């Protein structure tokens, strides 16, 4: 065996170097190199040794794994996963600190174990008594699952073989460390190695794993990108930190669609599935200028949200754009289109746009709602409160059609919005279908 060598691994991008440096030459991050000891062995064939043949099968002769999915007992999580947890799969659950990841998995552990499934909850972050306190907060939580407070990955791996668990939850992958790796917990080599070891044990014992992952300030998953490639499913729990509504989104799913979203409400007694998200999101809606109701599609589910805008004169020469829940570049573009094509000059105004409830929306159907909210704020005229708005806007100020218009309109009608400002081509009573943003703006601002 070769003697252990030391190398320096960038904690930001995973690049390795022979020498320490203040700056990573690969990604430019400062002070990100951490020493790790690796034991390199000669890989490949040694001269004269023929590798033993492996058995190659034809795909048609392989039987598909018919083990049924494990139902989670939680309609929202089941929808997001595509109908339950696939045995032997690795699920990564990421989210900001304090968003409710531990609460969600605790409830999940309880729900899954109700159906005669063996569940182990490993926490490297909280002690048994802390988890117990949390469990007591959540009403009706059945505590029929096992708990282990440990940061030792090897201990966790040993558990997979001792008792045939159906599901093991690891909170969080960043706190787990294996004694076989010289670097500290949370470093690239620990995380990669840990996830790999768990993956192998998942596939060989058919135990499903849920790993909790931390995210960085920018909202990316902390640690190597490799983690996301390795696992079968990546879920993000998001929402405003202090807002009650949380969204569970799947970013990657080998066993289902990535279009679905689960909606929860954080209550005194844990995370509750939210049956009518539009109702909660619109609860405190105001009829003041600068507010527009937008019908968005979250996967296959329509949700109504309030888009708010504020326009104020720029103090400095340079107009400021601030966006919460909306892409800032898109907002800049829409402001430019309004100035050029909509007859509303924003070149010396600061513009703020916010999606109420912490939802992040990236679909282009939001364009028209943003524009009308800004126009309404700018002219200080409220949009009639019975209107819902959606439509994509092009650079020449034209309004383009969007997908799932029928479903958006149906949700709006359900919640009492009888009228809509929508792209042309749709027909129905109460619909106003402007061709350009100028027509739409004139429509909402006429007295
Ligand atoms: P937590 O699940 O620990 O978040 P994470 O593991 O993602 O860091 O807790 C999220 C927040 O939710 C915490 O501030 C306390 C709050 N909370 C409730 O409001 N109700 C509850 O029933 C529980 C258990 C937590
Ligand atoms: Mg936690």
């Amino acid at each position: 065996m070769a003697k252990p060598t030391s190398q320096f691994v960038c904690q930001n991008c995973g690049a390795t170097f022979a020498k320490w440096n203040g700056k990573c030459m690969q990604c430019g991050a400062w002070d990100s190199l951490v020493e790790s000891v690796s034991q390199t062995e000669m890989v490949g064939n040694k001269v004269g040794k023929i590798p033993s043949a492996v058995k190659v099968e034809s795909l048609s002769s392989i039987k598909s794994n018919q083990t049924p999915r494990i139902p989670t007992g939680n309609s929202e999580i089941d929808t997001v996963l595509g109908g339950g947890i696939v045995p032997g799969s690795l699920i990564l659950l990421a989210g900001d600190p304090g968003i409710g990841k531990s609460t969600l998995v605790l409830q999940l552990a309880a729900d899954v174990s109700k159906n005669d499934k063996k569940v182990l909850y490993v926490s490297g972050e909280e002690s048994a008594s802390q988890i117990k306190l949390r469990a007591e907060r959540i009403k009706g939580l059945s505590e029929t699952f096992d708990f282990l407070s440990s940061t030792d990955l090897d201990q966790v791996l040993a558990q997979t073989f001792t008792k045939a668990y159906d599901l093991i939850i690891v909170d969080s992958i960043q706190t787990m460390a294996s004694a076989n790796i010289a670097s500290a917990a949370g470093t690239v080599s620990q995380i990669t190695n840990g996830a790999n070891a768990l993956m192998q044990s998942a596939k060989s014992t058919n135990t499903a794993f849920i790993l909790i992952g931390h995210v960085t300030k920018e909202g990316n998953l902390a640690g190597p990108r490799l983690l996301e490639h390795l696992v079968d499913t990546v879920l993000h729990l998001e929402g405003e930190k202090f807002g009650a509504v949380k969204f569970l989104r799947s970013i990657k799913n080998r066993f289902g669609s990535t279009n679905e979203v689960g909606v929860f409400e954080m209550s005194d007694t844990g995370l509750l599935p939210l049956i009518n998200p539009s109702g909660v999101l619109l609860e405190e809606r105001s009829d003041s200028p600068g507010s527009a109701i937008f019908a968005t599609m979250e996967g296959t589910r329509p949700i109504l949200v309030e888009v708010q805008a504020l326009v104020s004169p720029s103090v400095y020469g340079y107009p400021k754009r601030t966006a919460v829940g909306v892409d800032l570049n898109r907002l800049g573009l829409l402001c430019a289109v309004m100035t050029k094509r909509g007859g509303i000059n924003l070149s010396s105004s600061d513009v703020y746009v916010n999606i109420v409830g912490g939802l992040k929306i990236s679909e282009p159907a939001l364009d028209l709602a943003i524009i009308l909210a800004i126009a309404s704020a700018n002219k200080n005229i409220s949009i009639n409160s019975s209107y819902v708005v959606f439509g994509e806007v092009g650079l020449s100020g034209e309004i383009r059609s969007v997908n799932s218009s029928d479903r958006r309109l149906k949700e709006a009608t359900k919640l009492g919005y009888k009228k809509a400002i929508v792209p042309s081509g749709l027909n129905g009573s109460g619909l106003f279908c402007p061709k350009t943003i100028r027509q739409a703006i004139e429509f909402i601002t006429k007295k």
Side-chain angles (χ1 to χ4, degrees):
M1 210 204 289
K3 80 170 202 288
T5 52
S6 166
Q7 58 178 4
F8 295 87
V9 183
C10 172
Q11 301 304 303
N12 190 40
C13 69
T16 54
F17 302 91
K19 280 205 181 104
W20 188 85
N21 216 329
K23 183 181 179 183
C24 170
M25 305 308 259
Q26 191 80 37
C27 67
W30 286 95
D31 198 19
S32 66
L33 300 196
V34 170
E35 182 172 16
S36 76
V37 179
S38 70
Q39 234 149 27
T40 39
E41 249 184 295
M42 265 263 282
V43 240
N45 312 332
K46 300 205 171 91
V47 183
K49 196 175 159 203
I50 298 164
S52 57
V54 286
K55 194 170 144 235
V56 179
E57 296 170 89
S58 97
L59 189 60
S60 60
S61 71
I62 298 172
K63 290 203 184 66
S64 70
N65 194 351
Q66 291 293 358
T67 14
R69 291 179 183 236
I70 306 166
T72 61
N74 184 315
S75 59
E76 298 294 305
I77 301 178
D78 275 347
T79 322
V80 174
L81 289 176
I85 300 170
V86 175
S89 69
L90 221 61
I91 299 168
L92 187 64
L93 172 64
D96 288 333
I99 195 85
K101 301 180 293 299
S102 302
T103 310
L104 187 67
V105 290
L106 183 67
Q107 290 178 254
L108 192 73
D111 287 343
V112 171
S113 64
K114 261 190 226 156
N115 301 326
D116 265 355
K117 299 278 178 202
K118 286 211 186 73
V119 182
L120 172 67
Y121 183 162
V122 184
S123 182
E125 305 204 330
E126 284 153 306
S127 68
S129 58
Q130 280 171 318
I131 294 285
K132 183 76 192 174
L133 273 180
R134 189 201 299 271
E136 276 165 6
R137 265 180 94 170
I138 302 170
K139 258 198 221 105
L141 191 88
S142 77
E143 295 165 9
T144 46
F145 56 92
D146 295 348
F147 178 78
L148 170 69
S149 175
S150 167
T151 56
D152 187 346
L153 186 79
D154 306 314
Q155 259 180 24
V156 178
L157 284 172
Q159 291 303 322
T160 54
F161 295 101
T162 50
K163 200 168 170 184
Y165 283 108
D166 295 293
L167 173 66
I168 297 185
I169 294 167
V170 180
D171 188 0
S172 64
I173 185 73
Q174 273 86 2
T175 55
M176 293 290 148
S178 163
N180 300 328
I181 310 271
S183 53
T187 53
V188 169
S189 47
Q190 281 289 7
I191 295 176
T192 334
N193 174 74
N196 256 315
L198 291 174
M199 180 68 154
Q200 275 164 18
S201 124
K203 300 295 167 208
S204 65
T205 60
N206 220 18
T207 308
F209 279 90
I210 296 180
L211 312 180
I212 291 187
H214 294 167
V215 295
T216 60
K217 257 202 315 259
E218 293 78 38
N220 297 320
L221 202 81
R225 259 340 257 272
L226 188 76
L227 198 54
E228 278 171 80
H229 293 294
L230 191 79
V231 299
D232 299 303
T233 305
V234 181
L235 303 179
H236 271 232
L237 188 63
E238 43 187 63
E240 255 170 45
K241 177 129 192 231
F242 301 106
V245 187
K246 317 279 177 194
F247 299 90
L248 184 69
R249 223 182 274 278
S250 96
I251 307 296
K252 164 184 174 180
N253 194 350
R254 285 193 182 139
F255 310 113
S257 136
T258 51
N259 272 332
E260 298 300 342
V261 66
V263 190
F264 296 93
E265 189 175 21
M266 181 61 96
S267 70
D268 298 342
T269 55
L271 279 168
L272 305 174
L274 204 55
I275 309 301
N276 174 14
S278 305
V280 175
L281 287 168
L282 296 181
E283 222 161 44
E284 292 162 12
R285 108 144 271 212
S286 63
D287 286 339
S288 48
S291 156
I293 301 299
F294 169 55
T296 184
M297 291 301 292
E298 279 297 342
T300 54
R301 169 196 301 205
I303 296 179
L304 297 198
V305 290
E306 180 183 356
V307 181
Q308 291 182 327
L310 191 68
V311 177
S312 68
S314 302
V315 184
Y316 308 105
Y318 182 75
K320 211 170 110 182
R321 294 357 179 176
T322 309
V324 180
V326 182
D327 179 40
L328 189 60
N329 288 332
R330 192 82 196 167
L331 175 60
L333 185 143
L334 294 174
C335 289
V337 173
M338 287 179 79
T339 305
K340 276 276 180 203
R341 317 271 183 214
I344 293 199
N345 189 353
L346 297 169
S347 54
S348 54
S349 307
D350 292 345
V351 177
Y352 306 83
V353 170
N354 173 37
I355 307 286
V356 177
L359 200 66
K360 291 190 188 79
I361 301 178
S362 55
E363 62 162 347
L366 175 64
D367 295 351
L368 188 58
I370 294 181
I371 285 186
L372 293 186
I374 296 174
S376 150
N378 188 59
K379 301 260 184 192
N380 208 21
I381 298 174
S382 311
I383 301 175
N384 183 321
S385 64
S386 51
Y387 278 98
V388 66
V389 182
F390 60 85
E392 181 177 348
V393 172
L395 287 187
S396 50
E398 82 279 16
I399 298 171
R400 295 160 171 270
S401 55
V402 300
N403 64 356
S404 317
S405 301
D406 299 345
R407 275 200 245 161
R408 294 177 204 257
L409 287 174
K410 227 182 247 158
E411 174 78 1
T413 322
K414 214 166 82 189
L415 283 142
Y417 292 86
K418 296 193 181 62
K419 298 175 184 172
I421 305 174
V422 294
S424 52
L426 294 173
N427 37 39
S429 65
L431 298 189
F432 175 65
C433 307
K435 288 212 160 48
T436 61
I437 58 165
R438 195 181 277 269
Q439 288 171 5
I441 292 171
E442 274 166 13
F443 179 75
I444 60 146
T445 53
K446 69 170 186 263
K447 292 268 184 192

